[in-house]
Amino acid sequence: MKRMLVFAVFAGLVALGVPAAAEDHTITCDDLDPFVGIDAELLAAWPGQRFTAAIYDTRTECSYDLRPEGRITTASVLKIELMAGVLLRAQDEDRDVTAAEDALIVPMIAESADPPASSLWLSLGGQSGMSSLDDRLGLDDTVAATPWGGTSTSAADQTGLVRQVLLGEGGHFDADSSTRARDYMEGVIASQQWGITAGLPEGWTHPMKNGFFPLTGSGWRINSVGFIDDPSGGGYAVAILSDGWSTEAAGIEAVEFIAESINDVLAVEGLVLVWQGTFRDDDASIHQQAIEILVEAGITSGCNAEGDRFCPGDAVTRGQMASFLMRALGLSPQEPSRFVDVDASPHAGAIEALAQAGVTSGCNTEGDRYCPDLPVTRAQMASFLVRALGWDPMEPVTFSDTGDTIHAAAIETLSAAGVTAGCVADGSEYCPDEHVTRAQLATFLVRAFDL
């Protein structure tokens, strides 16, 4: 079923052919597809030329593809993955990026310097090491090669990598790594900020990396990958890949034609979401309907005193989880007596109610602390829900990444009950260590409690 999105009618919708006189319109992701009709224009202007592109818009959760079957060699776009590999290595070793690593990453990203990239390629294990990194990050269309610029990839893999590195999706990169990656990619020198930036309005930032180099048999590879930040929140990951160019300039012109077509639709000023729900900040979320169900059921009244915001992207704290579950279970707040660290929490009564109901025994082995301000992981959420509903834990078989967590049986129970299908498209992973957002929890609660 096509996802329905509601947009206000301002100047931006005129560009889509929607009459400006109307008050509002319900439109689909397809109505905002910037690639509609572009294939014919590309064939007319650049016959026989190879292109592929992909977009993922976090504001609407819509995805778009142009010639998705295309596989293009990366050239310097691979430097995003090299940076990612160094950040992951530092995380794995529980340390910060070293000064030596930083001194290589900065010119590699900012100036597209090749010698630092070659050094990092070798330090990460060369072709075999990068193949392992591809597997870890789920870059199924990416095939590492030597030399590194000959690595082939898809546009979808590149937008997926951007979402993981810059947005922390998938649970591989922590917040510090994502912030550092963004700082690196926002530092690209002005002369290399062509490509995905074409046609952007003033004020739209764009962490990015381009690839531009000739290869025997492939001509000039002209690639542009990054994330476009909407000043009002969210944005879209975009990758445009091409090869076979006789000159660099010709390739840049064509890539920027595609980028401008994208930005004309997705970065048009005045294209804003209508506030039609209870909260001002949950528009166009895939979880919006679930949030409204929680409101109707009296399970939430928002995240601020005015009651007009839900804070959908915020991580759920253990205290908030207690209040959500107490209301969903129809329990009453109880006088706090179990935990020594909850007196200052507005959720203290709910926490005690959950403890008395056997839903929680706290956050430490002594059972005298609850840690109300800590964020809830997807694994912990599974145990909360399974205990709250009295479901029997099941033998883990569905997900490949839950074997090391004590919550694996509870996660399997949620899967069997249809509460979760995992965190990746093929349903093979659950991302147990990733934090649960308030919006995601709304959907989990609606499914679990059959609201």
Side-chain angles (χ1 to χ4, degrees):
M1 182 170 59
K2 293 179 180 177
R3 192 168 178 282
M4 305 303 286
L5 311 168
V6 182
F7 288 85
V9 177
F10 289 98
L13 285 185
V14 175
L16 300 176
V18 179
E23 293 184 358
D24 55 70
H25 292 266
T26 300
I27 59 180
T28 69
C29 289
D30 289 346
D31 292 317
L32 288 174
D33 189 345
F35 295 139
V36 170
I38 197 173
D39 238 340
E41 296 180 77
L42 293 175
L43 285 170
W46 297 282
Q49 197 64 53
R50 293 190 350 126
F51 301 95
T52 183
I55 306 164
Y56 177 78
D57 194 327
T58 68
R59 302 164 301 178
T60 60
E61 301 187 359
C62 295
S63 296
Y64 307 102
D65 295 293
L66 172 67
R67 303 182 185 176
E69 71 284 351
R71 303 293 181 267
I72 303 288
T73 52
T74 58
S76 289
V77 161
L78 186 75
K79 292 167 183 175
I80 300 175
E81 190 179 355
L82 291 173
M83 172 192 69
V86 176
L87 293 173
L88 272 184
R89 180 172 62 191
Q91 281 186 201
D92 291 343
E93 296 173 1
D94 196 24
R95 62 171 175 81
D96 198 1
V97 171
T98 67
E101 290 169 334
D102 183 73
L104 293 172
I105 295 174
V106 169
M108 177 182 75
I109 298 296
E111 304 166 18
S112 203
D114 289 340
S118 296
S119 295
L120 292 175
W121 162 270
L122 291 174
S123 78
L124 290 168
Q127 184 172 336
S128 63
M130 294 302 289
S131 292
S132 297
L133 183 59
D134 293 337
D135 291 341
R136 182 174 180 179
L137 298 178
L139 305 180
D140 297 333
D141 299 331
T142 302
V143 180
T146 303
W148 48 261
T151 296
S152 63
T153 191
S154 67
D157 265 11
Q158 292 305 301
T159 56
L161 177 61
V162 165
R163 291 166 63 187
Q164 291 186 68
V165 178
L166 296 184
L167 307 183
E169 295 183 12
H172 292 294
F173 297 88
D174 61 25
D176 289 342
S177 291
S178 292
T179 298
R180 185 181 285 272
R182 176 174 284 273
D183 289 342
Y184 287 136
M185 292 175 66
E186 286 180 347
V188 170
I189 60 176
S191 62
Q192 293 183 20
Q193 291 188 22
W194 47 262
I196 63 170
T197 60
L200 278 181
E202 186 176 353
W204 291 62
T205 55
H206 40 77
M208 64 180 296
K209 181 71 193 80
N210 290 336
F212 44 99
F213 201 78
L215 182 68
T216 301
S218 296
W220 275 88
R221 283 84 48 76
I222 303 297
N223 304 326
S224 189
V225 175
F227 191 84
I228 306 299
D229 292 305
D230 185 334
S232 62
Y236 47 98
V238 58
I240 306 170
L241 311 178
S242 69
D243 68 7
W245 299 104
S246 58
T247 67
E248 180 182 10
I252 291 176
E253 179 186 3
V255 165
E256 291 199 328
F257 172 83
I258 297 173
E260 194 159 356
S261 299
I262 294 168
N263 296 330
D264 279 350
V265 174
L266 300 183
V268 172
E269 293 194 72
L271 186 60
V272 296
L273 297 171
V274 174
W275 175 30
Q276 297 228 327
T278 301
F279 305 111
R280 290 182 179 271
D281 56 356
D282 69 339
D283 295 303
S285 166
I286 195 171
H287 307 284
Q288 185 179 33
Q289 183 177 4
I291 293 168
E292 293 298 328
I293 291 172
L294 293 196
V295 172
E296 184 70 22
I299 295 173
T300 185
S301 57
C303 65
N304 62 345
E306 294 77 17
D308 65 348
R309 296 190 180 276
F310 184 73
C311 305
D314 288 359
V316 178
T317 67
R318 288 172 56 87
Q320 293 168 351
M321 175 65 84
S323 288
F324 276 120
L325 287 179
M326 179 192 71
R327 296 175 191 140
L329 291 167
L331 302 176
S332 299
Q334 301 296 313
E335 187 67 25
S337 63
R338 187 78 54 98
F339 305 111
V340 299
D341 59 347
V342 302
D343 288 346
S345 173
H347 308 284
I351 293 167
E352 183 65 29
L354 285 202
Q356 292 185 19
V359 178
T360 183
S361 57
C363 65
N364 61 346
T365 54
E366 294 81 9
D368 63 349
R369 292 186 177 275
Y370 182 77
C371 305
D373 297 324
L374 286 182
V376 177
T377 66
R378 287 169 58 90
Q380 293 165 345
M381 178 208 64
S383 287
F384 271 118
L385 290 180
V386 167
R387 291 187 197 126
L389 290 161
W391 290 345
D392 294 327
M394 302 177 65
E395 183 69 23
V397 294
T398 300
F399 303 111
S400 63
D401 59 348
T402 61
D404 294 333
T405 174
I406 59 174
H407 307 281
I411 294 168
E412 186 65 32
T413 302
L414 290 197
S415 175
V419 177
T420 182
C423 65
V424 294
D426 65 3
S428 62
E429 297 181 4
Y430 179 76
C431 304
D433 297 325
E434 192 172 317
H435 294 157
V436 182
T437 67
R438 288 171 56 89
Q440 291 167 346
L441 182 63
T443 294
F444 281 122
L445 289 173
V446 166
R447 293 174 185 160
F449 286 88
D450 196 23
L451 297 173

